[in-house]
Amino acid sequence: GYLLANMAVYQTRAWFLREYGHITDNPAVGPLLAQHYWAPGNAVSHNQTLLDLTGEGFSGRYLADHCNRSVHDAWQDALKNLARLEERQQPPVQSLNAHIRVVHGETVLADNRRSDQQMFQDFSDWIKRQYN
């Protein structure tokens, strides 16, 4: 089960990247997953959900390709993804209308009591202090 689920994840991920170039902040992803994977639920096989979305049945190729990359290739892929992210127009940040706290152990690093922007800045400042 676990291996098949991972195979499906990497196969789905590869399809989205081929079709759309990115997954994060992509408004097409949620509706397509809902239509092809979540709505049918257990009424269809996992293989059928893959066929419905990607046009291809189960394949271990995508997981194997990911696992067999060299460190250099993985690093180059990460750099390309970061460069593509910089090129994309980012969607506006919208409030979730929720009280959000970012915690590390018992320490609250940031929260949005004053504003989401203040939370983002506080968390960013903490990251810089920790890792620079």
Side-chain angles (χ1 to χ4, degrees):
Y2 180 76
L3 178 60
L4 292 178
N6 274 317
M7 286 170 47
V9 166
Y10 280 92
Q11 188 169 346
T12 302
R13 182 179 181 279
W15 183 83
F16 275 118
L17 292 174
R18 275 194 317 274
E19 292 293 314
Y20 296 98
H22 71 285
I23 298 172
T24 305
D25 295 327
N26 184 335
V29 172
L32 285 169
L33 289 176
Q35 176 187 350
H36 295 284
Y37 288 8
W38 304 330
N42 289 332
V44 297
S45 69
H46 214 29
N47 189 61
Q48 188 61 50
T49 61
L50 279 165
L51 279 167
D52 290 346
L53 178 66
T54 70
E56 179 181 30
F58 260 120
S59 172
R61 182 181 79 187
Y62 304 99
L63 178 58
D65 288 348
H66 182 77
C67 292
N68 289 325
R69 293 181 306 164
S70 69
V71 171
H72 174 78
D73 288 345
W75 181 247
Q76 292 306 309
D77 288 346
L79 292 176
K80 286 178 200 170
N81 287 336
L82 288 171
R84 282 195 299 255
L85 177 64
E86 291 295 323
E87 295 168 3
R88 281 197 327 257
Q89 182 177 356
Q90 298 298 310
V93 175
Q94 298 177 358
S95 175
L96 296 175
N97 195 23
H99 180 212
I100 301 169
R101 294 184 313 147
V102 180
V103 297
H104 179 63
E106 297 290 323
T107 305
V108 175
L109 307 178
D111 66 30
N112 68 340
R113 276 183 294 183
R114 288 191 296 188
S115 70
D116 289 347
Q117 279 306 120
Q118 185 63 53
M119 177 181 64
F120 302 150
Q121 187 61 54
D122 291 347
F123 185 59
S124 177
D125 291 346
W126 183 84
I127 294 290
K128 289 174 186 169
R129 285 192 309 272
Q130 289 295 115
Y131 299 104
N132 284 336

